[in-house]
Amino acid sequence: MGIIAWILIGLLAGAIAKALMPGKDPGGIIITMLIGVAGGLLGGWLGKAVLSVDAIDGFFELSTWIAAIVGSVILLVLYRLVTGNGRRHA
């Protein structure tokens, strides 16, 4: 897949991860997009390294999307832990 495809998958995976884990994050949409792109790469790497599967088959493959979303959720959780915005009660 090309870099444009990775960016598109990352943007959408970041939005899906944000929908799965709603909450207020500093940085807004820009940080969410960057987390999505990095999460897509992380998910693909984890699929290959840990599970020994080719998680990056193609743009329209379900395994690619699942890997990108899982990677994005992992990075979003880590981001919230680092910034201290995991759970804030008003």
Side-chain angles (χ1 to χ4, degrees), residues 10-90:
L11 295 175
L12 294 171
I16 292 169
K18 178 74 170 168
L20 291 173
M21 297 181 58
K24 193 166 187 153
D25 294 320
I29 191 73
I30 301 297
I31 297 298
T32 301
M33 288 190 288
L34 293 174
I35 287 174
V37 172
L41 295 172
L42 174 68
W45 178 79
L46 284 174
K48 283 186 173 187
V50 176
L51 302 175
S52 299
V53 297
D54 192 15
I56 314 166
D57 291 334
F59 188 81
F60 294 106
E61 295 291 326
L62 183 61
S63 62
T64 301
W65 287 93
I66 290 172
I69 293 167
V70 167
S72 296
V73 167
I74 290 170
L75 286 184
L76 186 57
V77 167
L78 290 174
Y79 175 71
R80 288 182 179 179
L81 287 174
V82 168
T83 61
N85 290 328
R87 292 183 184 194
R88 190 183 303 178
H89 298 289

